[in-house]
Amino acid sequence: MALVMNSESERLQHQRSFSGDLVGIAVIAAIGTIGYFAFPDNLALLTRMITIALLVLSLDLVTGYCGVATLGHAALFGSGAYAAGILSAHYGINDPLLMMLAGIAAGAIAGLLSGAIILRAHGLPQLVLSIALIHLFHEFANKASSWTGGSDGLSGIAPDPIFGLFEFDLYGQTAFFFGMALLLIVFVLLRFLVRSPFGMLCRGVRQDPLRIRAMGGSPKAVLIGMYVISGAVAGVGGALNAISTQVVGLDSLSFTQSAEALVMLVLGGTGSLFGALSGTAIFMLFEDYVSAANPFHWLTMVGALLIAVVLFAPKGLYGTTAALIVRRREQRS
């Protein structure tokens, strides 16, 4: 009888999770559609939001689900961007899908390298290592100017039409729809990942690595594996950025990029894919609006927003809202 009840409970939980996935995909698609019609002359901003959302999602995998503190995640994003750009500018391989694969591979390799170094420390030293890594990646790209363009940026990127049909026009329509398709695919795959046994193992490592080790698991191997996956996701965002803007600058490997990604994640809520997406959208839209409305004091407004969120919504805007909804449901039942 108990087994039947447990199986029924698991079945209902799977149904709720599947329904939540469908709702999430529908919401993302709906927001993208609304954005397309609301900002028809500023699709470049929406595409930029998608690229940064992929970076924040990748950061959430290691910080939110694994508990790894890092301020150097832009190294993975920038590696993907430069790989896709170099493939086009120096080798004449302009197929967007091949450029995307190059970005994924470069991001994964950068994730493996970064994870192997950062995970040798814990706490504050770990954070310092991540800062050192992003500066090393930045300086390497600056010195390798014959490949990366250095401080002038890498230009000459000319992606071919997708499937030979959809050209990347000046209006940014193709780049926007390409980005939306990538975001939806990555989101679905990550939803499967975080609920898989591997995803649950990552949460276990975050909560109690000693118990995982006692059970025969290797916390470091698990974390490095997630770092590689995170690098691949960040590489998708970097490659999309190179394809859509057709230029790669050193800012894609900057400490500022890493710090802003962490701020967006905290703003939305760590340990939640929806939180990462909502934090990115809220931060970038708020930043765009207030910088246009008040060019001299917009940073003050952004700072006030972040202070208010940390003080009154410590789980992030999405995380706090979701917790309130769950609490009200429990009270009603």
Side-chain angles (χ1 to χ4, degrees), residues 61-63 65-68 111-112 115-116 119 193-194 196-231:
L61 292 179
V62 297
T63 300
Y65 287 93
C66 295
V68 178
L112 177 62
L119 295 174
L193 173 69
V194 298
S196 68
F198 177 74
M200 299 303 293
L201 186 59
C202 289
R203 295 184 186 185
V205 170
R206 181 193 63 186
Q207 295 175 359
D208 195 343
L210 292 178
R211 180 172 294 182
I212 298 298
R213 191 177 290 110
M215 294 170 61
S218 173
K220 188 173 182 179
V222 171
L223 294 178
I224 289 180
M226 184 59 93
Y227 236 106
V228 172
I229 296 172
S230 174

Side-chain angles (χ1 to χ4, degrees), residues 292-304:
N294 194 330
F296 300 103
H297 303 290
W298 66 274
L299 280 174
T300 304
M301 299 180 188
V302 172

Side-chain angles (χ1 to χ4, degrees), residues 5-281:
M5 292 180 65
N6 288 334
S7 62
E8 182 66 18
S9 177
E10 291 179 359
R11 186 181 65 83
L12 291 174
Q13 186 174 1
H14 284 307
Q15 287 182 349
R16 290 174 182 174
S17 299
F18 182 72
S19 300
D21 291 346
L22 292 180
V23 171
I25 294 171
V27 168
I28 295 172
I31 292 175
T33 303
I34 293 172
Y36 176 79
F37 289 105
F39 304 98
D41 299 325
N42 202 5
L43 293 179
L45 171 64
L46 299 181
T47 306
R48 173 68 176 171
M49 287 174 58
I50 295 172
T51 64
I52 299 302
L54 289 165
L55 170 61
V56 179
L57 282 172
S58 71
L59 177 61
D60 195 24
L61 292 179
V62 297
T63 300
Y65 287 93
C66 295
V68 178
T70 174
L71 276 170
H73 220 65
L76 286 57
F77 178 86
S79 297
Y82 273 110
I86 289 172
L87 196 68
S88 174
H90 291 286
Y91 294 99
I93 300 176
N94 299 317
D95 185 278
L97 299 182
L98 291 179
M99 294 171 67
M100 187 59 62
L101 289 176
I104 293 173
I109 293 172
L112 177 62
L113 177 63
S114 299
I117 295 174
I118 292 174
L119 295 174
R120 295 182 65 86
H122 300 279
L124 188 59
Q126 190 175 71
L127 204 61
V128 173
L129 277 179
S130 69
I131 296 173
L133 269 176
I134 188 62
H135 286 300
L136 285 174
F137 272 78
H138 184 278
E139 191 61 19
F140 177 79
N142 188 30
K143 295 298 183 183
S145 57
S146 60
W147 286 95
T148 65
S151 58
D152 295 328
L154 177 63
S155 57
I157 302 171
D160 291 334
I162 299 176
F163 304 122
L165 299 174
F166 306 103
E167 295 185 4
F168 289 89
D169 51 41
L170 294 175
Y171 299 101
Q173 294 182 347
T174 300
F176 171 72
F177 287 115
F178 184 47
M180 282 299 301
L182 288 173
L183 181 61
L184 289 172
I185 292 172
V186 169
F187 177 81
V188 171
L189 292 177
L190 292 185
R191 287 290 288 179
F192 282 112
L193 173 69
V194 298
R195 289 203 304 266
S196 68
F198 177 74
M200 299 303 293
L201 186 59
C202 289
R203 295 184 186 185
V205 170
R206 181 193 63 186
Q207 295 175 359
D208 195 343
L210 292 178
R211 180 172 294 182
I212 298 298
R213 191 177 290 110
M215 294 170 61
S218 173
K220 188 173 182 179
V222 171
L223 294 178
I224 289 180
M226 184 59 93
Y227 236 106
V228 172
I229 296 172
S230 174
V233 175
V236 173
L240 175 61
N241 186 64
I243 293 170
S244 60
T245 62
Q246 300 181 17
V247 64
V248 182
L250 289 175
D251 60 327
S252 63
L253 283 169
S254 67
F255 171 76
T256 303
Q257 184 85 278
S258 296
E260 286 188 351
L262 184 59
V263 167
M264 294 177 199
L265 180 59
V266 172
L267 180 64
T270 59
S272 168
L273 301 180
F274 290 110
L277 293 178
S278 60
T280 304

